[in-house]
Amino acid sequence: MSRTVIDEGRCKGCLLCTTVCPVDIIRQSSRMNPQGYKVVEVIPELSDKCTGCTACAQMCPDLAIVVWRSCKEKEGS
Amino acid sequence: MSETIAFERTPSVADVPTHYCPGCQHGVAHRLAAEYLDGQGLAEKTLLVTSVGCSVLLYNYLNFDAVEAPHGRAPAVATGLKRTNPDKVVFTYQGDGDLASIGMAEIMHAANRGERITVLFVNNTVYGMTGGQTAPTTMVGQKTTTSPAGRCASTEGMPLRMAEIMAALPGVAFSARVALDSVKHLAKARKAIRHAFEAQLKDGGLGFVEILATCPTNWKMTSVQANERISKELIPYFPLGVFKDLKTPGAC
Amino acid sequence: MEGGRIFVKGNEAVAMGAIDAGLKGYFGYPITPQNEIPEYMSKHLPKAGGAFVQAESEVAAVNMVLGAAASGARAMTSSSSPGISLMQESISYMAGSEIPCVIVNMMRGGPGLGDINTAQGDYFQSTRGGGHGDYRTPCLAPSTCQEAYDMTREAFEWAFKYRTPTLVVGDGILGQMKEPLVRRVPCPPGPDEGSDWRLGGPPALPGRPRRALRSLYLNEGELAQVNLRLRDKYRAMQAEARADQFLTEDAELVVVAFGSIGRIVKSAIRKLRARGHKIGLFRPITLFPFPDLALRDLAYGGRRFLTIEHNLGQMVDDVRLAVRGLADSDFYGALSGTIPTPDEFEAAMEQAITGGSR
């Protein structure tokens, strides 16, 4: 299962990432960062739905998102 | 279960916050350029010419050697750089005022001469840095601080379509218009940027990419609304696509 | 051909001097009376391994120079007064970014489109930092074909020693007159010139911090630091101010004149000396930094001064500043559209010697 990590210090709350997530697991949170922006978050109970497609990170103008993609384990590898 | 990085910052983008407004797509545009150059191992050979506008601090955001050009003059500065350093990869990054207004002579003549440079032209239909005045690319009816009643075609002309104008010049090897408003369009933008740099690398001529981008602040919209304006209002007038893609190297 | 004398125009001498100094890029635009410079460059610079571009305007030309020079290449442009006006923004940028280059101005009549005759109306523009902001540019003033060649070469030394745009200021007479010239041994720069600041210099060290040549300093206190550093640089240049002095040791009247006017003044002085008048010539070579100390030394001896220029009063301000408290300077301005003759200067000098002023 892949995961999306949001750097809340860099997020400017523009919400462009929320427009492209194919599984709709990113939303605006209720938290403000020190710059006064209301940052986004991955909906915690849906985080395992992340496909690692990187659409959110590609749309982000601020490089506030890092995406990890999981590889299935193989025997003997 | 092991995992790999699927997306992270490419080395030529500096690890610093930018001054750009929330939802401004300058951050995407310059990142795409850096991703291409890093992917090709060209960062050490790259020389960037910055311009005047919201992107004036670009040399703080990209880890390339850079020189600041006076307003509009980046294509001339790039000409001097490339003519004396033909082995380097030289590109300019300009907004709609810098390139299509004060810098119109410089881009037309650099393009006409077929300078082996790459030009990234960010079109957000307004002058951002100076507070939202009319640009040559402002749309008819669009209200700005110097067109408070909305741009009027009979007194201010129609918005300039630079990608098409560039394509008409023989010295331009590649000209395209792209947008950053969707993942699909981002993929095409990446491809266009690659071809625009290859125009230089293959000694073909000038490589030009017009990038439609948001300016939520001066469009007086939210970022999401501004992103939607790209497809709803801009693309119908500024069509996306490749307008020129020469396969043969430049003459002379 | 080292040692051999050739017969060329001043414009050609400028171009030859630049090429012999290792010029790597010439970017220019046609304007009377300096067109032999781009024409010579178009023919000879590519053969010498440099790049030639006829730009679409003087604005574009000087910015091409900025780009080439940012990479440490020896680059130059040339123009005449109206074109030099167009270049002022970029010169200001290069001064602020500390980018070295050479800009040659063959002055013509102004203001505006003026005429195509010789003039010296750009002295203020050349010596006060002709564009916006608090800067200066070293400015050399040749008066012969040989000086045009030598001082263009020297201009590159000033430019790279001080990391500054450097002007060579001539006029229509100098540009168009043919005289003998001896070209000297070419001395292009070494490969390390500018290696501590230029962009992309070979080899770009992996991991070396990236360089940005710029003049925008928005953070508090930053621009002040830059301006103080520039000020100190201009002060340091003062040590290299120089002038040519002709018969000043026993002179009662010192004529101050530069460029071609200095030569015409010399002819007039010779005639008046033959009639027993004790007149000398102080000819600034560096208009900036102005050789004020050497001039002031002459003022201590009780001498009188007459400034003669091909304008209606520019360098005379610097002369009066230099001799303040000790002496004043009379002034004679040759009019636009003429090539002044020694006769008219003789009359002015005689008037100055007898105490009348103009």
Side-chain angles (χ1 to χ4, degrees):
Chain A
M1 131 202 118
S2 305
R3 63 193 175 95
T4 290
V5 179
I6 293 166
D7 180 347
E8 295 196 354
R10 291 283 167 87
C11 175
K12 290 181 181 161
C14 74
L15 305 183
L16 287 177
C17 54
T18 65
T19 66
V20 294
C21 176
V23 289
D24 279 318
I25 62 171
I26 305 187
R27 69 176 173 202
Q28 186 181 56
S29 75
S30 54
R31 293 185 297 286
M32 297 261 202
N33 68 11
Q35 288 76 41
Y37 295 122
K38 213 171 214 183
V39 301
V40 292
E41 63 180 2
V42 175
I43 302 169
E45 47 277 20
L46 297 179
S47 57
D48 58 342
K49 297 266 184 295
C50 177
T51 64
C53 74
T54 77
C56 55
Q58 291 179 45
M59 282 299 282
C60 176
D62 297 285
L63 280 167
I65 301 179
V66 172
V67 180
W68 296 86
R69 195 175 290 137
S70 48
C71 320
K72 288 200 188 127
E73 271 185 346
K74 284 192 179 142
E75 270 204 75
S77 67
Chain B
M1 179 113 89
S2 62
E3 57 178 11
T4 57
I5 280 277
F7 185 99
E8 63 174 345
R9 180 181 59 81
T10 194
S12 287
V13 178
D15 187 14
V16 295
T18 69
H19 75 285
Y20 294 126
C21 297
C24 164
Q25 289 172 325
H26 267 304
V28 181
H30 75 230
R31 188 196 77 223
L32 294 185
E35 284 172 348
Y36 167 78
L37 292 162
D38 283 341
Q40 297 297 307
L42 294 171
E44 298 283 341
K45 288 171 59 168
T46 297
L47 298 177
L48 163 65
V49 181
T50 62
S51 62
V52 177
C54 281
S55 70
V56 73
L57 297 177
L58 185 59
Y59 42 70
N60 287 337
Y61 306 143
L62 291 179
N63 289 325
F64 304 127
D65 278 358
V67 59
E68 176 186 84
H71 198 21
R73 317 303 175 203
V77 173
T79 295
L81 253 182
K82 182 77 186 193
R83 290 279 183 141
T84 51
N85 299 271
D87 57 320
K88 296 288 194 284
V89 178
V90 176
F91 79 103
T92 76
Y93 185 101
Q94 305 173 252
D96 37 34
D98 195 273
L99 185 138
S101 187
I102 186 170
M104 183 58 93
E106 281 77 17
I107 184 60
M108 288 297 288
H109 284 280
N112 194 52
R113 287 189 303 266
E115 297 295 337
R116 308 308 195 253
I117 60 175
T118 301
V119 174
L120 301 182
F121 168 52
V122 179
N123 174 5
N124 59 15
T125 73
V126 74
Y127 282 19
M129 146 131 303
T130 43
Q133 296 83 19
T134 301
T137 50
T138 295
M139 312 232 15
V140 171
Q142 182 179 341
K143 290 188 177 149
T144 70
T145 62
T146 50
S147 61
R151 183 185 186 130
C152 168
S154 70
T155 53
E156 297 159 73
M158 297 291 287
L160 278 165
R161 293 190 177 107
M162 286 308 301
E164 290 86 336
I165 290 170
M166 288 287 104
L169 294 170
V172 173
F174 180 83
S175 178
R177 180 181 293 110
V178 302
L180 308 173
D181 63 319
S182 67
V183 174
K184 189 167 122 198
H185 285 166
L186 282 172
K188 295 201 167 143
R190 257 183 230 110
K191 196 166 165 196
I193 288 172
R194 171 167 62 87
H195 284 300
F197 276 102
E198 285 174 353
Q200 174 178 173
L201 296 169
K202 294 179 177 165
D203 196 31
L206 190 137
F208 183 86
V209 184
E210 176 175 342
I211 304 169
L212 299 179
T214 53
C215 180
T217 300
N218 291 301
W219 293 355
K220 313 235 180 293
M221 296 175 162
T222 67
S223 309
V224 173
Q225 287 167 345
N227 199 46
E228 286 166 5
R229 180 174 184 251
I230 302 277
S231 51
K232 285 200 193 124
E233 288 184 40
L234 268 64
I235 291 177
Y237 183 84
F238 295 108
L240 304 186
V242 175
F243 299 97
K244 190 152 186 207
D245 192 0
L246 284 186
K247 299 300 179 202
T248 53
C252 196
Chain C
M1 57 176 94
E2 163 65 17
R5 282 171 19 132
I6 51 178
F7 194 60
V8 294
K9 287 189 176 187
N11 284 331
E12 294 167 298
V14 164
M16 291 172 178
I19 290 180
D20 289 349
L23 186 71
K24 278 280 165 274
Y26 174 89
F27 310 93
Y29 188 79
I31 182 171
T32 307
Q34 56 88 57
N35 292 321
E36 286 83 0
I37 300 178
E39 287 164 4
Y40 186 92
M41 292 292 188
S42 71
K43 195 163 166 192
H44 295 276
L45 184 56
K47 286 188 240 174
F52 167 85
V53 180
Q54 178 175 312
E56 58 270 30
S57 71
E58 290 90 343
V59 171
V62 70
N63 282 292
M64 291 178 191
V65 169
L66 190 159
S71 69
R74 290 194 165 193
M76 79 180 260
T77 184
S78 62
S79 188
S80 178
S81 313
I84 299 288
S85 287
L86 285 175
M87 296 181 178
Q88 294 303 320
E89 181 200 35
S90 191
I91 296 172
S92 174
Y93 270 66
M94 286 192 272
S97 306
E98 299 192 83
I99 293 176
C101 73
V102 171
I103 296 149
V104 177
N105 178 8
M106 291 304 188
M107 294 183 284
R108 60 186 257 176
L113 199 47
D115 65 15
I116 55 170
N117 278 304
T118 189
Q120 293 188 325
D122 306 342
Y123 179 90
F124 279 155
Q125 183 194 63
S126 306
T127 58
R128 265 84 176 132
H132 63 286
D134 214 349
Y135 73 95
R136 302 289 184 277
T137 55
C139 179
L140 303 175
S143 70
T144 65
C145 193
Q146 187 68 51
E147 283 187 352
Y149 172 87
D150 289 331
M151 287 183 194
T152 300
R153 286 178 65 145
E154 185 187 339
F156 283 100
E157 305 306 317
W158 280 84
F160 277 81
K161 175 173 178 182
Y162 293 104
R163 272 185 72 181
T164 173
T166 299
L167 309 185
V168 177
V169 169
D171 58 32
I173 295 175
L174 180 67
Q176 290 302 316
M177 196 163 68
K178 273 191 151 176
E179 282 193 288
L181 168 71
V182 175
R183 282 175 93 157
R184 310 197 196 284
V185 174
C187 62
D192 289 333
E193 184 173 66
S195 58
D196 55 328
W197 57 263
R198 67 192 179 198
L199 301 192
L205 300 169
R208 114 156 128 62
R210 67 102 181 100
R211 291 174 177 167
L213 288 171
R214 54 155 172 145
S215 53
L216 179 69
Y217 291 95
L218 295 174
N219 296 327
E220 192 180 334
E222 272 191 326
L223 185 59
Q225 288 309 310
V226 171
N227 277 310
L228 287 170
R229 186 170 73 244
L230 293 179
R231 178 202 66 182
D232 292 345
K233 192 160 69 168
Y234 305 136
R235 284 181 178 172
M237 288 176 193
Q238 200 60 38
E240 299 195 62
R242 76 179 191 278
D244 187 52
Q245 300 201 35
F246 175 69
L247 301 180
T248 52
E249 302 79 17
D250 68 337
E252 287 162 6
L253 174 71
V254 173
V255 180
V256 186
F258 73 94
S260 301
I261 299 299
R263 281 177 87 169
I264 301 171
V265 165
K266 223 184 214 182
S267 300
I269 286 176
R270 286 196 175 101
K271 283 199 191 172
L272 287 172
R273 277 270 176 182
R275 300 213 291 269
H277 295 296
K278 290 197 164 61
I279 309 185
L281 167 67
F282 183 92
R283 182 170 69 91
I285 302 291
T286 56
L287 303 183
F288 183 89
F290 190 75
D292 50 356
L293 292 180
L295 188 55
R296 195 166 176 78
D297 277 346
L298 294 177
Y300 284 111
R303 296 175 178 86
R304 311 189 41 180
F305 295 88
L306 167 65
T307 304
I308 298 183
E309 315 177 62
H310 204 163
N311 59 49
L312 293 179
Q314 296 190 23
M315 183 173 64
V316 65
D317 285 8
D318 286 341
V319 175
R320 287 181 174 140
L321 264 174
V323 303
R324 69 195 177 283
L326 299 173
D328 192 5
S329 173
D330 288 333
F331 173 77
Y332 178 81
L335 295 178
S336 308
T338 66
I339 295 184
T341 62
D343 293 348
E344 77 181 88
F345 292 166
E346 279 174 55
M349 289 184 220
E350 277 177 319
Q351 198 172 24
I353 277 200
T354 58
S357 74
R358 186 189 142 114

